[in-house]
Amino acid sequence: LAKTTQPISMDSYEGQEVNITCSHNNIATNDYITWYQQFPSQGPRFIIQGYKTKVTNEVASLFIPADRKSSTLSLPRVSLSDTAVYYCLVGEIDDMRFGAGTRLTVKP
Amino acid sequence: DAMVIQNPRYQVTQFGKPVTLSCSQTLNHNVMYWYQQKSSQAPKLLFHYYDKDFNNEADTPDNFQSRRPNTSFCFLDIRSPGLGDAAMYLCATSLSRAAQPQHFGDGTRLSIL
């Protein structure tokens, strides 16, 4: 399984765009990249998944460069309710593991 | 509409006393997972069922067992809980092994006295 590295924590302010980068230098050809969000005392919630280039949905965008050795989760115009831990998972579609996660704190 | 339901939300047991955590789902998903999450750590996969096919992670202690009597229900049995087993236990489902996302319940927080 590819090892992932994310910043331990990040701070932002309401209304700003937040970009969280995940490094996965040994990503394999069949590996996908998936992001989850977790609030305290709740289970993780799926945010977005991609294989290459860019993926966008109603809550986030995922940017993946051509070499796929990193990926960036972009959250537009964050609010206080986006304060959570964000996990980057890399692996085959049926074999992924959670990395350490990034604790995002959004301030007023 | 709760889709993955874990009961109870909080469970207290005594050191060495067997405990069972339950999970039910209304999604009719084929795959059910159990994770252990300790404070300030990422969820750690213990095992999963693909239908009735049980898949254990290599580093899951023998103390942890699971049962899946039907599609909707899955149980986590801890035969002799130790202090180190105090954690949040998360159940998740997915339509198939080759499908994301996983849908998580809100977990059962297990305390060991």
Side-chain angles (χ1 to χ4, degrees), chain A residues 1 5-6 11 35 54 71 106:
Chain A
L1 290 170
T5 303
Q6 304 174 233
D11 289 343
W35 286 81
K54 177 184 174 182
S71 58
V106 180

Side-chain angles (χ1 to χ4, degrees), chain A residues 6-72:
Chain A
Q6 304 174 233
I8 294 173
S9 64
M10 294 181 67
D11 289 343
S12 183
Y13 291 92
E14 283 189 292
Q16 289 188 333
E17 178 183 77
V18 170
N19 296 309
I20 306 174
T21 297
C22 180
S23 298
H24 28 81
N25 290 321
N26 59 339
I27 190 169
T29 302
N30 295 330
D31 287 350
Y32 282 72
I33 301 156
T34 307
W35 286 81
Y36 283 81
Q37 173 194 55
Q38 187 177 26
F39 298 114
S41 299
Q42 294 186 19
R45 299 283 184 265
F46 173 85
I47 301 174
I48 199 166
Q49 182 183 70
Y51 181 78
K52 61 181 180 179
T53 64
K54 177 184 174 182
V55 180
T56 297
N57 62 23
E58 62 275 10
V59 297
S61 295
L62 178 59
F63 298 93
I64 306 169
D67 66 7
R68 305 201 324 125
K69 293 184 183 298
S70 67
S71 58
T72 299

Side-chain angles (χ1 to χ4, degrees), chain A residues 93-108:
Chain A
I93 196 70
D94 60 351
D95 190 17
M96 292 191 176
R97 299 292 182 272
F98 283 83
T102 296
R103 183 175 300 276
L104 172 66
T105 301
V106 180
K107 302 176 182 179

Side-chain angles (χ1 to χ4, degrees), chain B residues 32-73:
Chain B
M32 294 188 78
Y33 307 81
W34 280 104
Y35 289 84
Q36 178 192 64
Q37 186 174 28
K38 296 188 176 180
S39 182
S40 300
Q41 295 184 20
K44 178 180 180 298
L45 182 64
L46 296 173
F47 26 60
H48 75 273
Y49 274 95
Y50 182 76
D51 286 336
K52 296 182 179 180
D53 181 26
F54 178 71
N55 297 271
N56 198 32
E57 291 297 294
D59 58 353
T60 298
D62 292 339
N63 199 26
F64 291 84
Q65 304 286 320
S66 185
R67 296 170 284 136
R68 189 179 185 186
N70 53 52
T71 301
S72 300
F73 288 87

